Amino acid sequence: MKLLAALLTCAILQSCQVNNLGKKDKHTLYINTVVPAHKFLKISTENASTFSIDAANKSSNTIALATDTSEIIMKKGKKYSLNIGQKGSVSIKNPSGQEVGVKLKVYNHSSKIIQHMDNL
């Protein structure tokens, strides 16, 4: 049982990797992650300041990219760019019954990026 828990923990940690490699802008956060079924990933800043985000759906299942004022259904392989205002956030929603992969680039931010996963 302990072995199963250890393997599950390793799988979760690997799926939530953060990439910030080599020649990429050091003020940009690159996130490659999996959003589990019926969950959402919320991205915001620690001081509620503005930021920009590029998002791409890496899976064939439906993902919704939602802000306080709009919601976009993301198609596989297309890149979506948003500017998030003061006190704003963006949520990557997974209404499907399977986990989905998403690639994010967060930039133009002046404080720490906060990530929070929760149920829909």
Side-chain angles (χ1 to χ4, degrees), residues 25-61:
D25 182 8
K26 68 179 183 177
H27 299 291
T28 300
L29 178 65
Y30 296 89
I31 305 168
N32 289 310
T33 192
V34 172
V35 180
H38 307 294
K39 301 244 184 212
F40 71 90
L41 173 66
K42 184 176 182 179
I43 308 284
S44 60
T45 57
E46 189 173 54
N47 67 357
S49 62
T50 62
F51 65 97
S52 300
I53 189 167
D54 292 345
N57 181 353
K58 298 190 319 183
S59 66
S60 58
N61 292 331

Side-chain angles (χ1 to χ4, degrees), residues 9-109:
T9 301
C10 287
I12 290 171
L13 291 175
Q14 282 184 331
S15 71
C16 295
Q17 69 181 350
V18 176
N19 294 326
N20 195 355
L21 306 172
K23 298 177 184 177
K24 296 181 179 178
D25 182 8
K26 68 179 183 177
H27 299 291
T28 300
L29 178 65
Y30 296 89
I31 305 168
N32 289 310
T33 192
V34 172
V35 180
H38 307 294
K39 301 244 184 212
F40 71 90
L41 173 66
K42 184 176 182 179
I43 308 284
S44 60
T45 57
E46 189 173 54
N47 67 357
S49 62
T50 62
F51 65 97
S52 300
I53 189 167
D54 292 345
N57 181 353
K58 298 190 319 183
S59 66
S60 58
N61 292 331
T62 300
I63 299 177
L65 187 63
T67 65
D68 296 334
T69 58
S70 66
E71 185 167 300
I72 301 166
I73 302 300
M74 297 173 60
K75 298 195 184 313
K76 182 178 182 175
K78 290 203 173 197
K79 181 176 146 186
Y80 299 86
S81 298
L82 298 172
N83 293 315
I84 309 300
Q86 285 293 106
K87 299 181 183 177
S89 65
V90 63
S91 295
I92 296 89
K93 298 179 180 180
N94 178 11
S96 74
Q98 299 177 357
E99 62 183 25
V100 293
V102 64
K103 182 177 180 181
L104 305 170
K105 175 183 172 186
V106 184
Y107 56 100
N108 293 336
H109 57 91

